[in-house]
Amino acid sequence: MLSMAKIICLLLWFIGLLAVNVTDWRTMKIPNRFQIFLGIIGFVGWRCFPEISIYERGFGMIAISLPFYFITKVKPQAIGGGDIKLAAVCGIFLGWKRLLYAFALASLISGIYGFYCLFVKKKKAGEHIPFGSFLCIGAMAASFPFWDHLFF
């Protein structure tokens, strides 16, 4: 059962993700103010969603963002800094299990979009796409509590 606090927390989370999605799609940049807002909601989410432990959230913070960071050390500009920070704040809110689902969904959708762009010649091979927008979609989908009964 979703309490009013959980509903408000999810609503603020979705608003923040929508703002990131639109901004990243238009500018290919994710401003730090959005990261801070989502990070605050992530920490508040710990009180609203105690079923996701602080350890799951802590590991979620690094589960995707740390590999992203190391990828940028091997291949600079492969992943934007905003995407790294977005993965970290999503991990704080979602925990590592849901974050992996969000990342898998984001990768699938962005891959389909990338193939579509190549097919219609909208982009050339090697051009960047706004992965943060797809991660927001994945995070929104992973935010719903009913996934726990299906996957975890």
Side-chain angles (χ1 to χ4, degrees), residues 5 29 38 40 42 58 65 68 70-72 80 93 101 116 126-127 143 145:
K29 295 191 184 303
L38 289 172
I40 291 169
S65 60
F68 275 4
F70 288 130
I71 289 169
T72 61
F93 186 84
Y101 170 75
Y116 168 77
E127 284 189 62
S143 297

Side-chain angles (χ1 to χ4, degrees), residues 84-137:
I84 296 169
K85 291 180 270 188
L86 179 62
V89 296
C90 285
I92 293 170
F93 186 84
L94 298 170
W96 71 272
K97 292 176 188 174
R98 289 183 184 188
L99 179 64
L100 291 179
Y101 170 75
F103 176 70
L105 185 60
S107 297
L108 175 69
I109 295 171
S110 67
I112 292 169
Y113 174 74
F115 280 123
Y116 168 77
C117 286
L118 289 173
F119 183 73
V120 298
K121 299 187 184 347
K122 186 175 180 179
K123 292 202 180 267
K124 295 177 184 158
E127 284 189 62
H128 295 280
I129 62 171
F131 185 73
S133 294
F134 298 103
L135 188 55
C136 287
I137 293 168

Side-chain angles (χ1 to χ4, degrees), residues 49-70:
F49 297 95
E51 59 271 14
I52 303 172
S53 75
I54 194 75
Y55 301 109
E56 288 181 67
R57 292 172 188 274
F59 185 64
M61 191 170 84
I62 63 169
I64 300 296
S65 60
L66 196 59
F68 275 4
Y69 175 76
F70 288 130

Side-chain angles (χ1 to χ4, degrees), residues 8-82:
I8 292 170
C9 191
L10 280 172
L11 180 63
L12 291 172
W13 176 248
F14 288 155
I15 289 169
L17 288 174
L18 184 62
V20 168
N21 192 331
V22 170
T23 303
D24 192 34
W25 193 262
R26 290 182 179 169
T27 66
M28 298 272 294
K29 295 191 184 303
I30 303 173
N32 285 335
R33 66 181 177 270
F34 294 144
Q35 310 285 8
I36 292 167
F37 177 78
L38 289 172
I40 291 169
I41 299 302
F43 283 112
V44 170
W46 176 58
R47 300 293 294 165
C48 295
F49 297 95
E51 59 271 14
I52 303 172
S53 75
I54 194 75
Y55 301 109
E56 288 181 67
R57 292 172 188 274
F59 185 64
M61 191 170 84
I62 63 169
I64 300 296
S65 60
L66 196 59
F68 275 4
Y69 175 76
F70 288 130
I71 289 169
T72 61
K73 291 300 176 191
V74 174
K75 184 163 176 31
Q77 298 181 352
I79 299 169

